[in-house]
Amino acid sequence: LPSSRFQFVPWHRLKQCDVTGDQLTCPRVREGPSEEDFNFREGRDFCLKRGRRKRREEEGQSWEERLQENWENCLELNLSYQDLGDPYQRENFFRILRRLIRVEKLQLINNSLTDLSSVRLPRCKMLNLHRNHLVCLRQLPKLPAVEHLCLSENAISSLRGLGALGSSPLRSLNLTHNPVTFSRDYRAHVFSCLPNLEVLDGIPKLPVDSFPLRVKGPETSRMCIIL
């Protein structure tokens, strides 16, 4: 909000506000610092102190606020570009992710996320994790219903953990601009683990992608060994 009085106030703590979380398409979910973490200056300037935000017990979320957030009923949500620089910001972000039990389309672009393995998104059909800091497919959330998954511009260097997506109805996968895309027989390995996959990195499955994986060894040899 433009007013310095409400600069760090989330919408569900404003008086006479009946907007719920499932009515917001791109909400800002970063929590502001506690009163102990900042000092007011003249005008709209704030002096923020570094350090972990210490919540008092009486600052716990009320039942009315929880109902107004209403993350459980969100079907489509964009939580991109949240600037999760402090530990308490990430804790609040993961608190919200764990409440998204009905979300079907979720955007988490450019949030510097490193590990989502503790999160389960049971109904998520489309997940966009473009430009984060994932280094392994085992750091993905549990996605039993995912159909479209975007992991472009992360730091994934191997396909370990890809088999966990084999039980999901995954139709398209995007791993562009990850180190793993430069590995040998990359596309063949992906389609061997995910035989129902239709599109990889924006390219539909090709006949060459179904060829058997090449055996490791010299590329060319003129020797014939008869046993």
Side-chain angles (χ1 to χ4, degrees):
L1 294 172
S3 174
S4 59
R5 179 183 177 186
F6 302 106
Q7 184 171 354
F8 298 115
V9 180
W11 85 92
H12 55 80
R13 292 184 181 176
L14 294 174
K15 293 182 178 179
Q16 299 179 347
C17 176
D18 57 357
V19 177
T20 57
D22 59 322
Q23 295 175 320
L24 301 173
T25 303
C26 304
R28 187 72 164 173
V29 299
R30 291 181 74 243
E31 282 193 336
S34 63
E35 294 182 359
E36 293 82 0
D37 289 341
F38 68 87
N39 295 322
F40 290 97
R41 289 182 177 179
E42 293 183 1
R44 297 172 57 186
D45 295 331
F46 293 88
C47 179
L48 299 181
K49 294 183 179 180
R50 298 180 63 86
R52 183 180 179 88
R53 181 175 187 250
K54 297 181 179 179
R55 270 192 167 186
R56 293 173 296 183
E57 293 182 1
E58 58 268 25
E59 288 185 85
Q61 192 178 38
S62 67
W63 180 247
E64 291 79 9
E65 289 177 352
R66 184 178 178 87
L67 289 177
Q68 191 169 2
E69 281 188 319
N70 198 24
W71 300 120
E72 286 79 3
N73 289 323
C74 286
L75 299 179
E76 184 173 351
L77 190 61
N78 189 340
L79 297 178
S80 304
Y81 306 100
Q82 294 291 332
D83 294 330
L84 308 174
D86 299 299
Y88 69 84
Q89 299 284 11
R90 291 190 290 272
E91 290 175 7
N92 184 58
F93 187 77
F94 275 81
R95 175 187 67 85
I96 294 171
L97 290 183
R98 294 188 182 100
R99 292 179 59 182
L100 299 176
I101 59 176
R102 293 183 178 87
V103 71
E104 296 181 358
K105 296 182 180 180
L106 181 59
Q107 304 274 353
L108 301 177
I109 300 171
N110 204 350
N111 282 325
S112 301
L113 300 172
T114 58
D115 193 350
L116 295 168
S117 58
S118 62
V119 177
R120 179 178 174 83
L121 302 171
R123 297 190 183 180
C124 185
K125 296 180 180 180
M126 192 281 290
L127 176 62
N128 192 342
L129 284 165
H130 171 71
R131 196 174 292 174
N132 280 280
H133 297 162
L134 301 176
V135 299
C136 177
L137 293 170
R138 293 173 180 169
Q139 296 173 333
L140 289 174
K142 280 70 175 178
L143 299 165
V146 68
E147 297 180 5
H148 306 281
L149 178 59
C150 180
L151 300 171
S152 55
E153 293 193 32
N154 278 265
I156 299 171
S157 57
S158 75
L159 294 175
R160 287 192 297 270
L162 184 62
L165 296 172
S167 58
S168 62
L170 188 63
R171 295 166 50 196
S172 67
L173 175 64
N174 193 334
L175 287 167
T176 55
H177 299 113
N178 279 278
V180 69
T181 59
F182 296 99
S183 60
R184 181 181 178 183
D185 293 328
Y186 155 69
R187 288 183 63 88
H189 276 289
V190 172
F191 282 107
S192 66
C193 291
L194 305 173
N196 296 323
L197 191 67
E198 299 175 3
V199 180
L200 177 60
D201 300 340
I203 303 175
K205 186 176 182 179
L206 304 173
V208 69
D209 296 327
S210 300
F211 287 173
L213 299 176
R214 290 177 290 178
V215 179
K216 293 183 179 180
E219 290 292 337
T220 59
S221 176
R222 297 182 179 179
M223 297 180 60
C224 180
I225 300 177
I226 302 176
L227 299 177

